[in-house]
Structure formats: structure tokens, C-alpha cells
Amino acid sequence: MEIFLIRHTAPAVVKGVCYGQTDVPLADSAERDIQIALAPLPKFDLVYSSPAQRCLRLASALAQRDQSPLVLAPELQELNFGDWEQLPWAQIPREHSDPWAADTWNLAPPGGETEQALWTRVATWHRTASSRPVGRCAVVAHGGSLRVLRCLILGRPAEDRWSWTLNWGEHARFEPA
């Protein structure tokens, strides 16, 4: 099986604003960005997508191009920042954000989730999805969930999740054993 991890294209978010599971729209350049992202990608047998519109637009274009099934996977959503969603990072009191930033694995923003919870839900999805026989699949998701997925595919520890990232609209190919 070949797996392509694909990050959504640029969202229309003001720089410095905290967003994770908020369903923000794509940038005005979305149509062009999506076409650029699609160009180097091969044909897929199956496309998985986070349900966020910033992922779904690219995933839908890919599934339509290839006439392949599109499967929504809520487990691939970005980290939930809870009460911090849509706030400028500069407005989040440092006495709250600093302890969280020092231990994102165990601490959650108020009303949000830990990175350990993100890991658990992506790992649950991965176990199910990897048992499905597919020749080549695409996974269109977010920076956080794709970092976790890469670690799971490669058998890397959670501590390795921050050593890798994809930019907007970029992809990476994996061929798990």
C-alpha cells in the first residue's frame, strides 16, 4: 500500500490567531492552490479527509479527478484548542499558555484536548484504515494530525512528532511494510 499524506492549502486566517478544529475557510487563492497541489499527485484508489472544509475542498477535488471514493474521517481533525480557538495568541494570558506550551502532551487548553488525545484518536483511525486493502490512498488533513500519522506509519515515538512538517498543499509519500 502507498499512502500520501497531504496538508490542506492555505486557510484565510489572520497570522497569530489560534485555530485548530474551528472550520476556517480557505484563502482567496484556494482554487489555484488546489490545482497546484493536485498537479504532482498520482491517481488514488481512495481518499480520506478530515471533515474541515479546508481539507475537504482539496480531498473532494482529488476524489473527483480520480473517480475514487472519498471517506470523511473525523479522527483526522486538528488539535482542539477549546476556549482558545479563534483568539489571537497574544490575547491568551501567558500564565495559561506557558504551562501548556511546556507540556502539550499532558496539558490541554481550557475545553480543548491534549496532544496525547490527538495521538490516541489518530492512532485509532490508523489501525482501522490500515487494515483496509487499498493500493494507493491519499490522506488530506492538518499539520498536527499528519505529524502523528507519519510517526505511526514509520513506527516512530510520539517525541518525534515535531521533527517533521508539511507546508500548505504539500504531500509526502510512504510505503509502509
Side-chain angles (χ1 to χ4, degrees), residues 3 5 76 119 122 125-126 139 141 144-154:
I3 301 173
L5 303 184
L76 295 174
W119 181 282
V122 173
W125 175 85
H126 179 251
V139 178
S145 53
L146 291 175
R147 283 185 193 99
V148 169
L149 197 48
R150 173 193 165 264
C151 287
L152 293 166
I153 291 167
L154 298 177

PDB file of all heavy atoms in Angstrom, residues 3 5 76 119 122 125-126 139 141 144-154:
ATOM      1  N   ILE A   3       0.769   5.342   0.768  1.00  0.00           N
ATOM      2  CA  ILE A   3      -0.013   6.361   1.456  1.00  0.00           C
ATOM      3  C   ILE A   3       0.618   7.718   1.178  1.00  0.00           C
ATOM      4  O   ILE A   3       1.828   7.892   1.372  1.00  0.00           O
ATOM      5  CB  ILE A   3      -0.046   6.125   2.975  1.00  0.00           C
ATOM      6  CG1 ILE A   3      -0.651   4.767   3.300  1.00  0.00           C
ATOM      7  CG2 ILE A   3      -0.809   7.242   3.680  1.00  0.00           C
ATOM      8  CD1 ILE A   3      -0.558   4.390   4.761  1.00  0.00           C
ATOM      9  N   LEU A   5       0.385  11.512   2.418  1.00  0.00           N
ATOM     10  CA  LEU A   5      -0.124  12.463   3.397  1.00  0.00           C
ATOM     11  C   LEU A   5      -0.097  13.834   2.738  1.00  0.00           C
ATOM     12  O   LEU A   5       0.948  14.253   2.222  1.00  0.00           O
ATOM     13  CB  LEU A   5       0.733  12.462   4.661  1.00  0.00           C
ATOM     14  CG  LEU A   5       0.898  11.115   5.369  1.00  0.00           C
ATOM     15  CD1 LEU A   5       1.693  11.279   6.659  1.00  0.00           C
ATOM     16  CD2 LEU A   5      -0.445  10.450   5.627  1.00  0.00           C
ATOM     17  N   LEU A  76      -9.223  12.612  12.064  1.00  0.00           N
ATOM     18  CA  LEU A  76      -8.081  13.324  11.478  1.00  0.00           C
ATOM     19  C   LEU A  76      -8.154  14.837  11.696  1.00  0.00           C
ATOM     20  O   LEU A  76      -7.303  15.575  11.200  1.00  0.00           O
ATOM     21  CB  LEU A  76      -7.986  13.023   9.978  1.00  0.00           C
ATOM     22  CG  LEU A  76      -7.691  11.572   9.615  1.00  0.00           C
ATOM     23  CD1 LEU A  76      -7.761  11.380   8.111  1.00  0.00           C
ATOM     24  CD2 LEU A  76      -6.340  11.151  10.165  1.00  0.00           C
ATOM     25  N   TRP A 119      -3.090  12.104  19.510  1.00  0.00           N
ATOM     26  CA  TRP A 119      -2.360  10.887  19.129  1.00  0.00           C
ATOM     27  C   TRP A 119      -3.293   9.672  19.208  1.00  0.00           C
ATOM     28  O   TRP A 119      -3.341   8.864  18.276  1.00  0.00           O
ATOM     29  CB  TRP A 119      -1.154  10.693  20.046  1.00  0.00           C
ATOM     30  CG  TRP A 119      -0.339   9.480  19.715  1.00  0.00           C
ATOM     31  CD1 TRP A 119      -0.623   8.176  20.032  1.00  0.00           C
ATOM     32  CD2 TRP A 119       0.884   9.446  18.984  1.00  0.00           C
ATOM     33  NE1 TRP A 119       0.349   7.335  19.556  1.00  0.00           N
ATOM     34  CE2 TRP A 119       1.291   8.104  18.909  1.00  0.00           C
ATOM     35  CE3 TRP A 119       1.675  10.426  18.397  1.00  0.00           C
ATOM     36  CZ2 TRP A 119       2.460   7.712  18.270  1.00  0.00           C
ATOM     37  CZ3 TRP A 119       2.841  10.032  17.762  1.00  0.00           C
ATOM     38  CH2 TRP A 119       3.227   8.692  17.695  1.00  0.00           C
ATOM     39  N   VAL A 122      -5.966   9.676  16.358  1.00  0.00           N
ATOM     40  CA  VAL A 122      -5.366   9.396  15.048  1.00  0.00           C
ATOM     41  C   VAL A 122      -4.888   7.939  14.987  1.00  0.00           C
ATOM     42  O   VAL A 122      -5.065   7.269  13.975  1.00  0.00           O
ATOM     43  CB  VAL A 122      -4.220  10.388  14.729  1.00  0.00           C
ATOM     44  CG1 VAL A 122      -3.482   9.988  13.460  1.00  0.00           C
ATOM     45  CG2 VAL A 122      -4.762  11.812  14.593  1.00  0.00           C
ATOM     46  N   TRP A 125      -7.843   5.661  14.336  1.00  0.00           N
ATOM     47  CA  TRP A 125      -8.197   5.716  12.915  1.00  0.00           C
ATOM     48  C   TRP A 125      -7.191   4.937  12.083  1.00  0.00           C
ATOM     49  O   TRP A 125      -7.571   4.153  11.199  1.00  0.00           O
ATOM     50  CB  TRP A 125      -8.258   7.166  12.425  1.00  0.00           C
ATOM     51  CG  TRP A 125      -8.488   7.230  10.956  1.00  0.00           C
ATOM     52  CD1 TRP A 125      -9.692   7.172  10.328  1.00  0.00           C
ATOM     53  CD2 TRP A 125      -7.504   7.306   9.925  1.00  0.00           C
ATOM     54  NE1 TRP A 125      -9.516   7.213   8.960  1.00  0.00           N
ATOM     55  CE2 TRP A 125      -8.169   7.291   8.695  1.00  0.00           C
ATOM     56  CE3 TRP A 125      -6.110   7.376   9.926  1.00  0.00           C
ATOM     57  CZ2 TRP A 125      -7.493   7.350   7.478  1.00  0.00           C
ATOM     58  CZ3 TRP A 125      -5.432   7.434   8.722  1.00  0.00           C
ATOM     59  CH2 TRP A 125      -6.143   7.428   7.515  1.00  0.00           C
ATOM     60  N   HIS A 126      -5.909   5.115  12.350  1.00  0.00           N
ATOM     61  CA  HIS A 126      -4.848   4.454  11.578  1.00  0.00           C
ATOM     62  C   HIS A 126      -4.973   2.932  11.641  1.00  0.00           C
ATOM     63  O   HIS A 126      -4.815   2.252  10.626  1.00  0.00           O
ATOM     64  CB  HIS A 126      -3.478   4.922  12.083  1.00  0.00           C
ATOM     65  CG  HIS A 126      -2.339   4.287  11.386  1.00  0.00           C
ATOM     66  ND1 HIS A 126      -1.530   3.356  11.993  1.00  0.00           N
ATOM     67  CD2 HIS A 126      -1.873   4.418  10.123  1.00  0.00           C
ATOM     68  CE1 HIS A 126      -0.614   2.958  11.131  1.00  0.00           C
ATOM     69  NE2 HIS A 126      -0.800   3.586   9.998  1.00  0.00           N
ATOM     70  N   VAL A 139      -4.428  10.924   2.151  1.00  0.00           N
ATOM     71  CA  VAL A 139      -4.976  11.385   3.420  1.00  0.00           C
ATOM     72  C   VAL A 139      -4.798  12.895   3.442  1.00  0.00           C
ATOM     73  O   VAL A 139      -3.671  13.393   3.501  1.00  0.00           O
ATOM     74  CB  VAL A 139      -4.261  10.741   4.627  1.00  0.00           C
ATOM     75  CG1 VAL A 139      -4.831  11.284   5.926  1.00  0.00           C
ATOM     76  CG2 VAL A 139      -4.347   9.224   4.567  1.00  0.00           C
ATOM     77  N   ALA A 141      -5.312  16.196   5.444  1.00  0.00           N
ATOM     78  CA  ALA A 141      -5.569  16.567   6.840  1.00  0.00           C
ATOM     79  C   ALA A 141      -4.735  17.783   7.227  1.00  0.00           C
ATOM     80  O   ALA A 141      -4.297  18.553   6.373  1.00  0.00           O
ATOM     81  CB  ALA A 141      -5.306  15.367   7.754  1.00  0.00           C
ATOM     82  N   GLY A 144      -1.007  18.955  12.538  1.00  0.00           N
ATOM     83  CA  GLY A 144      -0.900  18.143  13.750  1.00  0.00           C
ATOM     84  C   GLY A 144      -1.234  16.686  13.528  1.00  0.00           C
ATOM     85  O   GLY A 144      -0.477  15.788  13.924  1.00  0.00           O
ATOM     86  N   SER A 145      -2.356  16.415  12.897  1.00  0.00           N
ATOM     87  CA  SER A 145      -2.746  15.014  12.685  1.00  0.00           C
ATOM     88  C   SER A 145      -1.816  14.317  11.697  1.00  0.00           C
ATOM     89  O   SER A 145      -1.542  13.117  11.834  1.00  0.00           O
ATOM     90  CB  SER A 145      -4.205  14.904  12.255  1.00  0.00           C
ATOM     91  OG  SER A 145      -4.489  15.723  11.151  1.00  0.00           O
ATOM     92  N   LEU A 146      -1.280  15.046  10.729  1.00  0.00           N
ATOM     93  CA  LEU A 146      -0.344  14.430   9.780  1.00  0.00           C
ATOM     94  C   LEU A 146       0.997  14.111  10.441  1.00  0.00           C
ATOM     95  O   LEU A 146       1.624  13.094  10.114  1.00  0.00           O
ATOM     96  CB  LEU A 146      -0.137  15.326   8.563  1.00  0.00           C
ATOM     97  CG  LEU A 146      -1.357  15.460   7.648  1.00  0.00           C
ATOM     98  CD1 LEU A 146      -1.084  16.477   6.543  1.00  0.00           C
ATOM     99  CD2 LEU A 146      -1.772  14.118   7.064  1.00  0.00           C
ATOM    100  N   ARG A 147       1.442  14.944  11.380  1.00  0.00           N
ATOM    101  CA  ARG A 147       2.680  14.640  12.114  1.00  0.00           C
ATOM    102  C   ARG A 147       2.525  13.329  12.883  1.00  0.00           C
ATOM    103  O   ARG A 147       3.424  12.486  12.901  1.00  0.00           O
ATOM    104  CB  ARG A 147       3.016  15.764  13.091  1.00  0.00           C
ATOM    105  CG  ARG A 147       3.612  16.980  12.469  1.00  0.00           C
ATOM    106  CD  ARG A 147       4.021  17.978  13.575  1.00  0.00           C
ATOM    107  NE  ARG A 147       4.304  19.257  12.991  1.00  0.00           N
ATOM    108  CZ  ARG A 147       3.456  20.282  12.958  1.00  0.00           C
ATOM    109  NH1 ARG A 147       2.259  20.189  13.513  1.00  0.00           N
ATOM    110  NH2 ARG A 147       3.798  21.417  12.394  1.00  0.00           N
ATOM    111  N   VAL A 148       1.381  13.195  13.551  1.00  0.00           N
ATOM    112  CA  VAL A 148       1.104  11.966  14.305  1.00  0.00           C
ATOM    113  C   VAL A 148       1.050  10.775  13.357  1.00  0.00           C
ATOM    114  O   VAL A 148       1.666   9.732  13.615  1.00  0.00           O
ATOM    115  CB  VAL A 148      -0.214  12.094  15.097  1.00  0.00           C
ATOM    116  CG1 VAL A 148      -0.649  10.750  15.674  1.00  0.00           C
ATOM    117  CG2 VAL A 148      -0.082  13.141  16.199  1.00  0.00           C
ATOM    118  N   LEU A 149       0.342  10.920  12.262  1.00  0.00           N
ATOM    119  CA  LEU A 149       0.193   9.820  11.312  1.00  0.00           C
ATOM    120  C   LEU A 149       1.536   9.373  10.757  1.00  0.00           C
ATOM    121  O   LEU A 149       1.799   8.179  10.624  1.00  0.00           O
ATOM    122  CB  LEU A 149      -0.761  10.245  10.190  1.00  0.00           C
ATOM    123  CG  LEU A 149      -1.359   9.155   9.331  1.00  0.00           C
ATOM    124  CD1 LEU A 149      -1.927   8.009  10.145  1.00  0.00           C
ATOM    125  CD2 LEU A 149      -2.424   9.745   8.431  1.00  0.00           C
ATOM    126  N   ARG A 150       2.408  10.320  10.452  1.00  0.00           N
ATOM    127  CA  ARG A 150       3.750   9.973   9.972  1.00  0.00           C
ATOM    128  C   ARG A 150       4.485   9.119  11.006  1.00  0.00           C
ATOM    129  O   ARG A 150       5.104   8.113  10.676  1.00  0.00           O
ATOM    130  CB  ARG A 150       4.550  11.231   9.679  1.00  0.00           C
ATOM    131  CG  ARG A 150       6.005  10.931   9.331  1.00  0.00           C
ATOM    132  CD  ARG A 150       6.835  12.219   9.367  1.00  0.00           C
ATOM    133  NE  ARG A 150       8.241  11.929   9.381  1.00  0.00           N
ATOM    134  CZ  ARG A 150       8.988  11.870  10.478  1.00  0.00           C
ATOM    135  NH1 ARG A 150       8.451  12.056  11.665  1.00  0.00           N
ATOM    136  NH2 ARG A 150      10.272  11.609  10.387  1.00  0.00           N
ATOM    137  N   CYS A 151       4.429   9.521  12.276  1.00  0.00           N
ATOM    138  CA  CYS A 151       5.079   8.734  13.326  1.00  0.00           C
ATOM    139  C   CYS A 151       4.509   7.319  13.386  1.00  0.00           C
ATOM    140  O   CYS A 151       5.258   6.342  13.508  1.00  0.00           O
ATOM    141  CB  CYS A 151       4.916   9.411  14.688  1.00  0.00           C
ATOM    142  SG  CYS A 151       5.912  10.889  14.921  1.00  0.00           S
ATOM    143  N   LEU A 152       3.205   7.207  13.291  1.00  0.00           N
ATOM    144  CA  LEU A 152       2.567   5.884  13.348  1.00  0.00           C
ATOM    145  C   LEU A 152       2.975   5.021  12.161  1.00  0.00           C
ATOM    146  O   LEU A 152       3.271   3.833  12.315  1.00  0.00           O
ATOM    147  CB  LEU A 152       1.046   6.051  13.397  1.00  0.00           C
ATOM    148  CG  LEU A 152       0.502   6.702  14.669  1.00  0.00           C
ATOM    149  CD1 LEU A 152      -0.952   7.117  14.473  1.00  0.00           C
ATOM    150  CD2 LEU A 152       0.652   5.775  15.863  1.00  0.00           C
ATOM    151  N   ILE A 153       2.988   5.597  10.972  1.00  0.00           N
ATOM    152  CA  ILE A 153       3.360   4.843   9.775  1.00  0.00           C
ATOM    153  C   ILE A 153       4.795   4.345   9.865  1.00  0.00           C
ATOM    154  O   ILE A 153       5.102   3.205   9.502  1.00  0.00           O
ATOM    155  CB  ILE A 153       3.169   5.708   8.504  1.00  0.00           C
ATOM    156  CG1 ILE A 153       1.682   5.946   8.241  1.00  0.00           C
ATOM    157  CG2 ILE A 153       3.837   5.069   7.291  1.00  0.00           C
ATOM    158  CD1 ILE A 153       1.406   7.026   7.202  1.00  0.00           C
ATOM    159  N   LEU A 154       5.683   5.198  10.364  1.00  0.00           N
ATOM    160  CA  LEU A 154       7.110   4.859  10.428  1.00  0.00           C
ATOM    161  C   LEU A 154       7.514   4.164  11.721  1.00  0.00           C
ATOM    162  O   LEU A 154       8.687   3.800  11.886  1.00  0.00           O
ATOM    163  CB  LEU A 154       7.952   6.130  10.246  1.00  0.00           C
ATOM    164  CG  LEU A 154       7.801   6.846   8.910  1.00  0.00           C
ATOM    165  CD1 LEU A 154       8.636   8.113   8.892  1.00  0.00           C
ATOM    166  CD2 LEU A 154       8.192   5.919   7.755  1.00  0.00           C
TER     167      LEU A 154
END
